[in-house]
Amino acid sequence: MTRYALILVIAAFGALSAYAVMDVGYLGIFDYHRHSSAGWQVIADLVIVCTLAIFWMISDARKTGRNPWPYVVVTLAAGSFGPLFYLLVGEFRRSA
């Protein structure tokens, strides 16, 4: 069940992200937020959550014998997609 939920979230978030990038471009997503304190708060929140996710992925990968670095790179480049794919691949590994 968790695997299907993750696939659904990745697909929906991926579609929204693709639409946003097509509409304003990759840098345009950040540019939109730089004009107000509310936007800066959103960016700060994203940085904090992604940083926590990176530390969690590295810690979890040590315990489970996985390589976290591809997911860390994806997190740095594309935010939530890194942890989402890390969780999804972990689900597939558990079922195998």
Side-chain angles (χ1 to χ4, degrees), residues 7-32:
I7 291 169
L8 179 64
V9 168
I10 290 168
F13 186 57
L16 176 62
S17 297
Y19 175 72
V21 169
M22 287 187 315
D23 188 36
V24 297
Y26 182 76
L27 294 179
I29 293 170
F30 298 99
D31 187 50
Y32 178 82

Side-chain angles (χ1 to χ4, degrees), residues 54-66 68 86-87 90 94:
I54 287 169
F55 282 112
W56 169 77
M57 287 187 294
I58 292 169
S59 174
D60 185 70
R62 286 184 184 141
K63 294 175 191 169
T64 58
R66 294 173 64 187
Y86 182 85
L87 289 169
R94 271 191 278 276

